[in-house]
Amino acid sequence: MDWQRTETRDKNLTRERIIESAMRAFAEQGYHDTSMDDIVRRSGFSKGAIYFHFPGKEALFYALVSRLADALEAAARSSIEQERGAVARVDAALQTLLGMISRHPRLARVVLASGGGLGPSLDPHLMKLHERFARFIKEYLDKAVQDGSLAAIDTEVVAYAWLGAIKEIVIRWLRARNRDPLERVICALRVLLLRSIGIEVSGAGKAGKE
């Protein structure tokens, strides 16, 4: 029935508004310094409405992280499908990840800068998120090795090393007082990561095997 569809749509919109409000709060204040009351004030909903959708702050944070992961992977796969060749697809996967961080540093702060020491209930969820990103990168590195575009490498080690480098650089940028534009930092990082697996590329150019 129409009223049921309308009710479902309204509930989904409410849920999205709550998640958006939580994202801003976590990004600006950090996870531990954000209370449910902070999220209530930002969202404009009553505390009862928020608890109807989320039993607590941990559930809200997990919902936020899951949504970010889904959005990032969908965007990356869409970009990758437009490229031909395994190396170009590796580069597309990397550029999508770095590009989203560049466009949405607030999201990076939530997932990366706030992603350590949150406690035994949340840290495993963030570990799963990082593992998901690593598997995603590894998938396209494996394809590049299989078709001979890349020399044989330990793609799992490379994937986790890339994630570690991305996290360190982005967190350092977020905490810096006087900082270069993130786009410039991201561009330099992309070149460095691709060169680490033998792909020579200029700052704005297409990737190509050396």
Side-chain angles (χ1 to χ4, degrees):
M1 291 183 179
D2 289 342
W3 69 268
Q4 290 176 320
R5 287 195 294 269
T6 300
E7 183 179 20
T8 299
R9 183 189 62 201
D10 290 345
K11 285 181 179 179
N12 289 338
L13 289 174
T14 298
R15 183 182 173 87
E16 288 302 305
R17 278 185 56 188
I18 293 170
I19 291 175
E20 289 288 339
S21 299
M23 182 190 73
R24 292 194 297 271
F26 292 144
E28 294 171 15
Q29 300 170 217
Y31 176 80
H32 291 297
D33 290 332
T34 298
S35 67
M36 288 297 280
D37 286 338
D38 293 327
I39 297 169
V40 168
R41 285 193 295 271
R42 287 172 180 270
S43 69
F45 294 114
S46 68
K47 185 176 290 188
I50 290 181
Y51 277 106
F52 174 82
H53 291 276
F54 302 99
K57 187 170 70 169
E58 290 184 0
L60 236 176
F61 186 83
Y62 178 58
L64 167 61
V65 168
S66 297
R67 193 187 73 164
L68 297 182
D70 290 342
L72 178 58
E73 184 165 343
R77 290 196 185 278
S78 177
S79 297
I80 287 166
E81 291 307 312
Q82 299 175 31
E83 298 291 341
R84 291 187 176 181
V87 168
R89 290 186 169 189
V90 168
D91 189 25
L94 180 59
Q95 287 198 70
T96 300
L97 174 59
L98 297 179
M100 183 168 285
I101 291 172
S102 180
R103 291 190 300 275
H104 305 289
R106 182 179 291 138
L107 306 190
R109 182 183 294 276
V110 172
V111 176
L112 298 177
S114 299
L118 292 181
S121 61
L122 282 178
D123 284 344
H125 293 310
L126 288 165
M127 285 296 296
K128 288 180 181 178
L129 173 66
H130 295 162
E131 289 169 2
R132 178 176 175 178
F133 289 160
R135 287 196 303 270
F136 178 73
I137 294 171
K138 181 179 182 299
E139 175 185 344
Y140 289 97
L141 288 171
D142 284 339
K143 291 177 180 178
V145 171
Q146 289 165 7
D147 76 358
S149 301
L150 289 180
I153 55 175
D154 189 324
T155 55
E156 183 173 2
V157 169
V158 171
Y160 278 100
W162 279 16
L163 282 180
I166 291 168
K167 179 177 179 178
E168 185 65 28
I169 292 298
V170 171
I171 289 177
R172 182 175 178 274
W173 182 88
L174 288 166
R175 292 175 177 170
R177 292 185 179 180
N178 299 315
R179 54 198 187 194
D180 290 333
L182 182 55
E183 291 80 2
R184 185 182 303 171
V185 176
I186 290 297
C187 184
L189 179 59
R190 169 182 167 250
V191 172
L192 177 65
L193 295 181
L194 290 173
R195 285 178 176 173
S196 74
I197 58 172
I199 299 175
E200 193 62 38
V201 60
S202 64
K206 288 281 188 180
K209 189 176 178 182
E210 281 189 314

